Amino acid sequence: MEAILPILNEPNAIHLGFNMQSHIAKDLFLNTHCSTYVLITDTNLLPLIQPLLAEITDQCPTRFLLRIIPPGEGSKSRETKADIEDYLLRKSCTRDTCLIAVGGGVVGDLVGYVAATFMRGIPFVQIPTTLLSMVDSSIGGKTAIDPPAGKNLIGAFWQPKRIYMDLGVLMTLPTREFRNGMAEVIKTAAISSEKDFIVLEESAHTMEESLHSPESKQALLSVIMASSSYKARVVTEDERETGLRGLLNFGHTIGHAFEKILSPSWLHGECVAVGLVAETQVALRMGHCTQDTLDRIIRVLKAYGLPCEFDAATKERLHLDQVMHVMKVDKKNQGHQKKLVLLSSIGTTLEQKASSVPDSFIEEIVKGYVSLGHSTPLEEYVPMTLTHTIALWGDTRVQAWLTSALLPHAPYVTLQSENSSGIHINVTRELSTSNNGSYEYYYIALDDTEASALLRFIQSLITPTPTPTKETQYTRFVTPTVSDYESLSPALVEQWLEEAHVIEFRVDLLNPTCDWITTAACQLAHLRRALTRPLPIIYTVRTLPQAGRFTDKHVYTELVGRGYRWGCAFIDMEAMTVSWEDLQKTAALGRQLAGHSSLIISFHDPHREHPWTDVFWTDLHAKCLHVLTEEHQSGVIKLVGYAHSLQDNIDLEIFRRQIEATDSGVPLIALNMGEQGRLSRVLNRFLSPVTHTCLPTAAAPGQLTAQQIAAVVGILFQG
């Protein structure tokens, strides 16, 4: 054993040396007294830690257990954490159990978080096996898992009783993994000590050689000690990251955003290396450091074989809106204000904490690392080139409100004049009976909420909110089973939309307080006020024979046609409720209104009158396809059967494959209702209807939540 470093109130917390197996076992059992010790590692490391495992097993004075987890970042998850906890409970582990984390950052972060929460906190020790985990994740008590939204967003501060750094294990590391860790070493020197940074600059050519040269091992030890010692001092002063500890995130705000998108093909240290360059460029752009500071950062990273930029293929995977969106949930943020660690020179930062930086500076620099094109995530509105003008009209009161509340925020909008061209929108509380080729916007109140809702509506007409396409993987729409949208909380609506890409507005589920047209217009307006972001809306009037509740066939066609005038992204019209001629007339409305809406031609078979082997389905699909192509209408075909057995789902999949083989270009929604039909909802990739646990009921028998579908898809198809 070569050295001991203190941290917080523990003078002997960090032990460094070479080939420390015997020392680790002896010190561990001398300084922790527990009824059970559980060593947790991954399948890749298990063969490599046999000497350590033998020492711990031989010297353990009480019960010893071994738990193996899968390797890789995917194990740093809720599921793996729960699996370990369930194992501990099955083994009757109590609060005097000690966990031993042997592995890289994934194992250490995961096991530490288990220790922090199991029985409200149990002791654990860290035995890091990678350079990255030695100098970074094992020190400081940060424990976490990775939810889908990003890295380390759920976790706790929980200090290990001991950290054992056996540098001998680094001899087994691949070169790329060693360089991965050096990014964190370079980061630490850049924010803390120009002297240490100079050492790194001057020893780059010998550092990797020290892994395989006993004579040079002291150089490696001194570099790791310097980096570990600085981090230990920072953690001692600021354990909960209220200020100073934030400096350790230099390069990580932008780097983590890159990593979220590029992982696992790009490693953590590689993304942080690019982040170091990008964040130094931000500091330079803001006038806080010199070009020489940036040049030295780039030179030292290149000297250790680390990337400073992305190749063309990688850039194509990155888009500015995606990167900035990921940064929204960075832990250092204060509200919407992003924070970066800004260098003033090598070894010195602008502040002794992360600094607030306007998005404009970050975007300017990040543009150099991403594709110049825009991505179009379904949950984000991406502005595009204006191709239409918008002309609004209304009564005198409405026009006064539009002039003061809306026009200052929308320069592309005008009040209608005699010669107005482009898209016309009537903002009104009086619904028109004539179809004059204009949109209708039914308002609730002339207030700020309405102004935001109207602006989103206008934006969706200028540049339609990105909607799922046939090629999109696993898209879903949620169907609120509510009869009155007036009192809905926007927060609740946003919760319904978790992992859903589209929302369905079911007119037939409403309780009409007046005529159906006015009721639908009013309730749709309340829904739009409750939405907090542009979102495609499916406008549906489901009749009783088609598994819905609507019974007034006399107003069905007119009511469905209103969906076009009210600017909904999708209009659902039943294939067998009206004549094919009326269906074509309704489809033609889409062309009159700039083609904003897509028609969903649907058919539901709630009583299983037609098994999927019946030619009925093939003929019906052909007729639906004919309507769409004849009217040159963008659209979707939705066919829903009912499953009584697994075979019904198999027959449906055979039908789906037959339709897809024709390559018609028209997306197909095909699934089965009923409890036995749940598998079909998982297998349907395009716009599967889903429910939510916070909704009163599901809209159809057998309907799943988006989370349930995502979980099954992850198990079946993403191994």
Side-chain angles (χ1 to χ4, degrees):
M1 206 264 299
E2 303 283 348
I4 294 178
L5 298 174
I7 187 170
L8 295 168
N9 297 319
E10 177 50 65
N12 302 309
I14 306 173
H15 294 222
L16 300 91
F18 291 86
N19 303 317
M20 297 169 55
Q21 295 93 337
S22 180
H23 169 79
I24 290 172
K26 181 178 179 180
D27 182 79
L28 171 64
F29 298 125
L30 186 64
N31 290 282
T32 60
H33 305 283
C34 297
S35 65
T36 303
Y37 293 85
V38 185
L39 189 148
I40 302 173
T41 190
D42 68 41
T43 53
N44 286 349
L45 281 169
L46 186 60
L48 304 176
I49 64 166
Q50 289 304 308
L52 172 65
L53 189 58
E55 286 283 355
I56 291 177
T57 304
D58 289 345
Q59 296 191 42
C60 183
T62 55
R63 184 171 66 148
F64 176 78
L65 300 173
L66 176 65
R67 186 68 175 174
I68 316 298
I69 65 172
E73 195 77 25
S75 287
K76 197 171 156 184
S77 64
R78 293 183 176 109
E79 292 76 17
T80 310
K81 180 175 184 285
D83 178 74
I84 294 172
E85 291 163 341
D86 290 344
Y87 170 78
L88 297 176
L89 293 171
R90 288 196 304 271
K91 293 297 183 180
S92 302
C93 293
T94 53
R95 190 173 289 177
D96 64 340
T97 296
C98 178
L99 304 184
I100 307 169
V102 182
V106 169
V107 174
D109 286 2
L110 171 67
V111 174
Y113 190 30
V114 173
T117 58
F118 187 78
M119 300 283 178
R120 298 196 176 122
I122 60 175
F124 87 111
V125 301
Q126 290 263 26
I127 307 180
T129 59
T130 64
L131 178 57
L132 181 64
S133 57
M134 288 181 184
V135 299
D136 184 34
S137 60
S138 67
I139 304 173
K142 280 186 177 181
T143 71
I145 55 174
D146 298 340
K151 285 179 62 66
N152 302 324
L153 297 180
I154 299 176
F157 289 96
W158 192 250
Q159 297 296 335
K161 298 299 182 184
R162 282 287 191 271
I163 304 167
Y164 299 109
M165 299 185 187
D166 187 346
L167 277 59
V169 302
L170 299 181
M171 311 306 174
T172 65
L173 281 184
T175 299
R176 187 184 180 196
E177 282 291 347
F178 178 77
R179 293 172 177 175
N180 187 40
M182 284 305 300
E184 293 287 351
V185 176
I186 293 168
K187 171 210 74 177
T188 301
I191 61 173
S192 64
S193 169
E194 184 174 22
K195 178 181 176 182
D196 290 345
F197 195 88
I198 292 172
V199 170
L200 293 175
E201 289 176 315
E202 294 177 345
S203 60
H205 63 288
T206 61
M207 194 60 66
E208 287 185 22
E209 295 176 5
S210 67
L211 289 175
H212 310 290
S213 172
E215 296 79 17
S216 305
K217 67 180 184 180
Q218 286 301 320
L220 178 63
L221 178 63
S222 64
V223 165
I224 294 176
M225 276 192 62
S227 188
S228 302
S229 179
Y230 175 75
K231 182 165 185 180
R233 290 200 305 273
V234 168
V235 170
T236 299
E237 292 185 39
D238 181 21
E239 181 185 6
R240 296 303 177 104
E241 198 171 330
T242 58
L244 182 65
R245 189 170 179 176
L247 295 182
L248 298 171
N249 289 298
F250 175 43
H252 284 60
T253 301
I254 296 177
H256 269 173
F258 290 151
E259 185 182 1
K260 166 68 176 173
I261 300 167
L262 299 176
S263 178
S265 56
W266 279 68
L267 302 178
H268 171 78
E270 294 166 342
C271 292
V272 166
V274 180
L276 294 175
V277 176
E279 293 187 18
T280 306
Q281 288 176 315
V282 172
L284 176 62
R285 175 67 181 82
M286 296 179 73
H288 299 311
C289 72
T290 64
Q291 182 66 44
D292 180 65
T293 301
L294 175 61
D295 291 342
R296 289 178 70 183
I297 291 286
I298 292 174
R299 280 198 301 270
V300 77
L301 290 170
K302 288 183 175 179
Y304 284 90
L306 286 162
C308 298
E309 58 186 358
F310 296 124
D311 56 69
T314 303
K315 276 188 174 184
E316 286 301 315
R317 297 171 58 189
L318 296 165
H319 301 274
L320 181 62
D321 56 334
Q322 291 175 316
V323 175
M324 296 301 292
H325 179 72
V326 173
M327 278 192 272
K328 285 182 181 178
V329 289
D330 188 276
K331 300 182 295 299
K332 299 180 295 302
N333 292 351
Q334 288 185 336
H336 295 296
Q337 183 67 64
K338 296 179 178 63
K339 292 198 154 192
L340 273 65
V341 177
L342 302 176
L343 290 185
S344 56
S345 63
I346 296 297
T348 308
T349 56
L350 178 68
E351 300 181 87
Q352 289 295 291
K353 61 181 181 179
S355 303
S356 298
V357 178
D359 279 6
S360 58
F361 286 104
I362 301 174
E363 289 181 359
E364 179 182 341
I365 298 304
V366 170
K367 282 179 181 177
Y369 294 87
V370 301
S371 168
L372 295 180
H374 287 290
S375 68
T376 53
L378 295 171
E379 57 273 14
E380 292 292 322
Y381 171 76
V382 182
M384 297 173 65
T385 304
L386 181 63
T387 57
H388 298 280
T389 57
I390 299 292
L392 303 178
W393 82 89
D395 60 28
T396 304
R397 180 166 170 262
V398 168
Q399 292 201 39
W401 173 73
L402 291 171
T403 301
S404 62
L406 189 78
L407 268 59
H409 307 289
Y412 45 83
V413 174
T414 64
L415 295 181
Q416 186 179 20
S417 62
E418 187 175 338
N419 299 316
S420 295
S421 60
I423 296 174
H424 293 185
I425 305 172
N426 180 17
V427 181
T428 182
R429 293 273 290 185
E430 301 293 331
L431 297 173
S432 172
T433 57
S434 63
N435 179 20
N436 55 8
S438 64
Y439 288 98
E440 264 184 341
Y441 183 87
Y442 186 95
Y443 70 86
I444 299 298
L446 300 180
D447 55 15
D448 290 343
T449 301
E450 199 72 68
S452 297
L454 177 54
L455 188 58
R456 287 193 296 269
F457 175 78
I458 293 170
Q459 288 174 330
S460 72
L461 298 180
I462 298 173
T463 53
T465 306
T467 53
T469 63
K470 181 182 177 184
E471 291 75 21
T472 308
Q473 296 295 303
Y474 297 110
T475 52
R476 309 171 187 98
F477 69 85
V478 67
T479 304
T481 47
V482 296
S483 59
D484 185 0
Y485 288 84
E486 181 173 0
S487 59
L488 284 181
S489 159
L492 178 60
V493 175
E494 189 65 27
Q495 197 164 322
W496 291 344
L497 294 169
E498 292 170 346
E499 297 190 46
H501 309 94
V502 179
I503 188 168
E504 183 178 34
F505 177 65
R506 282 279 298 272
V507 177
D508 59 295
L509 299 183
L510 305 176
N511 287 328
T513 54
C514 51
D515 66 276
W516 272 109
I517 302 293
T518 305
T519 295
C522 181
Q523 291 297 323
L524 179 60
H526 282 300
L527 170 60
R528 282 180 162 145
R529 286 171 63 91
L531 294 174
T532 58
R533 52 190 166 97
L535 199 74
I537 296 174
I538 298 176
Y539 179 89
T540 300
V541 184
R542 185 72 64 231
T543 63
L544 186 62
Q546 290 285 290
R549 297 183 184 178
F550 195 76
T551 57
D552 191 350
K553 287 189 178 182
H554 298 292
V555 297
Y556 175 80
T557 303
E558 181 184 356
L559 191 55
V560 170
R562 290 284 176 160
Y564 282 106
R565 295 192 61 187
W566 295 336
C568 296
F570 295 94
I571 312 300
D572 184 300
M573 192 163 193
E574 297 170 353
M576 308 293 281
T577 299
V578 298
S579 67
W580 289 102
E581 290 76 17
D582 286 343
L583 192 60
Q584 286 182 297
K585 289 178 183 177
T586 304
L589 291 174
R591 293 203 311 275
Q592 298 176 27
L593 291 165
H596 169 72
S597 303
S598 294
L599 179 64
I600 299 177
I601 304 180
S602 66
F603 177 78
H604 292 65
D605 181 20
H607 305 297
R608 197 180 176 273
E609 296 177 6
H610 306 284
W612 288 101
T613 52
D614 195 328
V615 71
F616 167 85
W617 293 105
T618 307
D619 291 344
L620 178 60
H621 182 272
K623 290 181 180 179
C624 297
L625 188 60
H626 176 75
V627 170
L628 294 174
T629 54
E630 278 288 304
E631 295 300 325
H632 306 288
Q633 166 79 51
S634 63
V636 178
I637 298 173
K638 179 184 179 184
L639 304 176
V640 181
Y642 200 101
H644 290 299
S645 67
L646 176 62
Q647 187 61 47
D648 289 325
N649 296 316
I650 296 173
D651 293 340
L652 167 56
E653 290 311 304
I654 294 172
F655 169 80
R656 190 197 309 277
R657 298 299 182 268
Q658 291 172 344
I659 296 299
E660 290 176 348
T662 65
D663 196 23
S664 66
V666 175
L668 173 67
I669 304 171
L671 48 89
N672 281 318
M673 290 184 285
E675 298 301 313
Q676 294 293 325
R678 288 183 168 184
L679 178 61
S680 70
R681 297 178 181 274
V682 175
L683 297 177
N684 182 74
R685 290 172 176 254
F686 178 76
L687 280 183
S688 285
V690 297
T691 185
H692 192 276
T693 54
C694 290
L695 283 168
T697 59
Q703 205 169 66
L704 301 168
T705 67
Q707 291 81 1
Q708 288 172 323
I709 291 179
V712 176
V713 168
I715 293 170
L716 294 180
F717 304 120
Q718 297 178 5

